[in-house]
Amino acid sequence: MSSWKTAGAVGTFVLAFAVTSLNLAWSEDTKLPNLDVAAARAANDAPATPVTQDQLNAAAGDESNFLQTNGNYDQTRYFPGKQINTSNVGKLHPAWIFQTEVKESQETTPIVVNGVMYVTTSFDHVYALNAKTGEEYWHYKHAMGPVTTYCCGPNNRGVAVYDDKVYLATLDSQLVALNAKTGSIVWQTQIADPTLGYSETMAPTAVNGKILIGTNGGEYGIRGFVRAYDAKTGKLIWNFDTSPENSVGVWAATDATGKDLHRDIAAEKAQLAKTGDPYKTVGGGVWQNPSVDLKTNRIYFVVGNPSPDLDGSVRPGDNLYTESLVSVDLDTGKYACHFQYIPHDLWDLDDTSPTVLVDAKDKDGNVVPAVIHGGKTGHVYVNSRKDCSLIRFSEAMVSQDGMYTLPTAEGARMLPGANGGVEWSVMAVNPELGLTYAVNLHQPMTYQVQSSPYPGGKLWLGGAFKVIATEESFGNVTAVDYNTGKIKWQVKTPLPMMGGALTTAGGLMFTGEGNGWFRAYDAATGKVLWSFFAGAGVNAPPASYSVDGKQYIVVGAGGNTQIDFKRGNNIIAFTVD
């Protein structure tokens, strides 16, 4: 008879048998056979080892660990291990399932360091787990301040690891350093004022003694930023404001692809003369980790939407650097270059999916250092790392209908909607194939504008965008050749996609769906090779690692607040025998 073991009501289920069925199912409502309930496990020190800068620099070739939120500083999410591959992925089965205390949206990427796994949950819990068995070492619960402000769910996307510490950014806009062995607080720093709309859901980035962090709050009239803090002390090293004091720009009439934005430039200039530059409240949050070019000592990140989202009448100009790729110096935060994709955005088509560093062909066919990211517009953009200029944009991965139709008081229809295209979902790259993988939404919306003054740290949309319930919503998984911009393959999914992808040297691409399915695709062809039903939405990016010579795939299944996919509280690790 099959048996399961658990470390308590909330804890680890360890499979003691091999599962070979292609489509497997488990949920918290499943009646487990022969459940042997042990006493709740006391917290123990994790056998954590310090993480060196050399280890982080070499993460792209590390077949044992998953040291960074997106795998490595290039953020390719490409794992070099190939023990799990196209020939045996059909035998993939759960090795263990850990249940967190929090049954809410999961967007965490597990971080693995020499057999110790760190995962986060909504409301800023951190767990240290045995990566081989799923057993808990320690559990940190953040003591939230009296005010938290967030637009899209109480999410947390993970931690950073550096030296003997684990770093967490929180909904009440704090940066916390934890002891990697015990989970105790080493230091904590207030990043920004949550009463003004600031919050944190992104994972920090650790590099060269610094902890890099952006900010949420683009829907609340903040002034966005990226900051670097001292990894040892938590002291601020530098700050880069994502809206310069002159945020007007060049009064661009088109987007990066040449489409007309239908701007009334004369009216905007009149408003500018009346009220001045809106840079202090123009938004520009940074949702996701920057990529780091260690050779040039520069970082690259994308900036989100302007505030208020839909009402451009109170924010004249291009609203720099919203909707832009930006590069700054790693040591000083000094501006290097930028490229704006949608000047004066009125549709919340902000850039939220993180940047990825690749070598790609330029317009003359020469291979150059490039930076790519997926946009809510449904394009993958390829830019030069040297000067941020646009090299190319891909074929549209989603339908574009009525692009840049101006919002009206009654509500104007447009596709893609405010969720994309590519939302915050992280892309992955297979450098051997020259492909990047994006998950997309097809979700028609209406855009309704309603002007209102700055509300002082409260939600400030300037109207509303609403999903059209009578029209079909769905998603897709798309592979794009970033050297040509052509779509290599595409698979339609029954629900809009949100989460992210992982690629491996075994020729696989993994991603999950909001209906609970977690799938492995042939990275070259898009053929589905394996599926597992997780019982809750799989809207977190997967990771991979190895312990004692055995490779694992791990993913969170907790659903999603933003588009209301079924909630859960599971971290599931898979392997083959």
Side-chain angles (χ1 to χ4, degrees):
M1 178 67 72
S2 303
S3 65
W4 297 66
K5 296 180 181 178
T6 180
V10 178
T12 308
F13 295 102
V14 182
L15 271 74
F17 58 96
V19 183
T20 57
S21 173
L22 183 62
N23 292 329
L24 308 174
W26 184 88
S27 77
E28 67 170 4
D29 299 321
T30 302
K31 190 173 182 179
L32 300 176
N34 293 346
L35 188 62
D36 179 19
V37 180
R41 189 176 189 276
N44 291 318
D45 288 357
T49 55
V51 177
T52 68
Q53 186 59 51
D54 286 344
Q55 281 181 283
L56 293 173
N57 292 351
D62 191 338
E63 294 187 27
S64 296
N65 301 310
F66 205 87
L67 297 176
Q68 301 181 43
T69 302
N70 293 310
N72 47 65
Y73 286 131
D74 288 348
Q75 304 202 124
T76 59
R77 308 200 107 256
Y78 177 78
F79 185 73
K82 52 186 176 182
Q83 186 180 92
I84 300 170
N85 53 60
T86 55
S87 65
N88 65 6
V89 70
K91 299 178 181 179
L92 198 65
H93 63 80
W96 53 261
I97 300 172
F98 179 81
Q99 289 186 302
T100 73
E101 188 176 291
V102 182
K103 186 180 178 182
E104 185 47 274
S105 180
Q106 277 192 18
E107 298 182 1
T108 184
T109 293
I111 299 297
V112 181
V113 185
N114 296 333
V116 179
M117 179 183 295
Y118 302 98
V119 297
T120 64
T121 72
S122 285
F123 302 108
D124 303 327
H125 292 226
V126 184
Y127 290 87
L129 308 176
N130 183 318
K132 184 176 181 178
T133 67
E135 294 176 282
E136 178 183 324
Y137 292 121
W138 54 255
H139 174 196
Y140 168 80
K141 303 179 186 180
H142 181 63
M144 208 71 70
V147 177
T148 58
T149 307
Y150 47 88
C151 84
C152 309
N155 305 299
N156 187 279
R157 298 193 179 94
V159 299
V161 289
Y162 188 78
D163 195 17
D164 58 354
K165 300 178 185 65
V166 174
Y167 299 89
L168 171 75
T170 67
L171 291 173
D172 57 350
S173 203
Q174 294 190 55
L175 182 61
V176 182
L178 303 175
N179 183 298
K181 287 182 179 290
T182 67
S184 59
I185 296 174
V186 179
W187 56 256
Q188 58 190 97
T189 296
Q190 192 70 46
I191 299 171
D193 187 350
T195 67
L196 296 179
Y198 291 93
S199 66
E200 296 290 346
T201 58
M202 69 182 290
T205 296
V207 56
N208 291 348
K210 304 175 187 67
I211 305 300
L212 307 180
I213 195 73
T215 185
N216 284 4
E219 283 69 39
Y220 294 84
I222 63 161
R223 186 184 188 187
F225 57 75
V226 172
R227 290 176 177 168
Y229 290 86
D230 187 291
K232 290 184 178 180
T233 66
K235 292 183 178 180
L236 181 66
I237 297 174
W238 56 255
N239 173 81
F240 176 84
D241 292 314
T242 58
S243 56
E245 292 187 12
N246 181 359
S247 69
V248 172
V250 298
W251 304 101
T254 62
D255 79 342
T257 71
K259 292 185 177 68
D260 191 349
L261 295 169
H262 309 297
R263 292 175 67 176
D264 187 340
I265 301 296
E268 288 184 45
K269 289 183 176 180
Q271 181 69 22
L272 180 67
K274 180 180 179 181
T275 59
D277 195 301
Y279 72 93
K280 291 183 179 180
T281 58
V282 82
V286 177
W287 281 51
Q288 295 270 30
N289 303 68
S291 48
V292 181
D293 189 331
L294 294 170
K295 292 181 180 179
T296 61
N297 209 46
R298 282 165 57 177
I299 66 172
Y300 297 82
F301 54 90
V302 284
V303 183
N305 58 277
S307 296
D309 299 49
L310 304 176
D311 179 18
S313 67
V314 296
R315 48 172 173 84
D318 294 348
N319 308 140
L320 297 175
Y321 298 110
T322 66
E323 314 290 356
S324 296
L325 167 71
V326 179
S327 178
V328 304
D329 183 87
L330 173 59
D331 289 336
T332 65
K334 183 180 179 181
Y335 168 90
C337 62
H338 83 278
F339 182 88
Q340 191 171 36
Y341 299 101
I342 308 176
H344 196 73
D345 174 32
L346 302 177
W347 306 271
D348 195 42
L349 295 177
D350 48 330
D351 297 297
T352 55
S353 180
T355 56
V356 186
L357 303 185
V358 298
D359 291 329
K361 292 181 180 179
D362 66 11
K363 296 175 182 178
D364 297 321
N366 301 311
V367 177
V368 298
V371 53
I372 67 176
H373 89 280
K376 284 187 179 180
T377 57
H379 295 295
V380 171
Y381 298 97
V382 183
N383 291 71
S384 166
R385 270 186 255 172
K386 181 179 180 180
D387 60 6
C388 294
S389 60
L390 184 66
I391 296 173
R392 69 178 57 85
F393 56 91
S394 75
E395 296 174 322
M397 298 179 287
V398 297
S399 298
Q400 295 178 336
D401 187 7
M403 281 289 284
Y404 305 130
T405 298
L406 295 177
T408 66
E410 297 76 22
R413 180 189 180 278
M414 194 181 88
L415 184 69
N419 286 329
V422 182
E423 235 286 354
W424 61 266
S425 306
V426 294
M427 297 198 308
V429 163
N430 185 313
E432 302 300 321
L433 298 174
L435 298 177
T436 187
Y437 305 86
V439 300
N440 288 273
L441 302 92
H442 174 104
Q443 200 175 44
M445 289 188 179
T446 57
Y447 289 82
Q448 182 181 12
V449 65
Q450 184 177 3
S451 189
S452 61
Y454 170 63
K458 306 297 183 183
L459 187 66
W460 194 28
L461 296 180
F465 32 82
K466 299 178 181 179
V467 175
I468 303 174
T470 56
E471 295 194 38
E472 183 185 15
S473 290
F474 54 88
N476 69 56
V477 182
T478 304
V480 171
D481 185 329
Y482 50 79
N483 286 304
T484 66
K486 300 293 185 182
I487 292 175
K488 177 69 172 179
W489 56 258
Q490 186 173 81
V491 176
K492 183 179 178 180
T493 59
L495 294 176
M497 292 289 287
M498 190 176 292
L502 172 77
T503 57
T504 74
L508 299 169
M509 192 280 290
F510 292 89
T511 193
E513 302 176 26
N515 55 14
W517 287 103
F518 183 47
R519 305 189 195 276
Y521 294 78
D522 185 309
T525 68
K527 181 181 179 180
V528 176
L529 301 178
W530 170 87
S531 299
F532 176 88
F533 185 71
V538 183
N539 302 111
S544 188
Y545 62 96
S546 297
V547 179
D548 295 337
K550 177 175 282 192
Q551 185 183 353
Y552 297 80
I553 306 294
V554 62
V555 73
N560 181 268
T561 304
Q562 190 170 343
I563 44 181
D564 199 25
F565 288 138
K566 184 180 178 181
R567 309 301 200 277
N569 60 342
N570 302 321
I571 305 294
I572 310 174
F574 303 87
T575 193
V576 294
D577 293 324

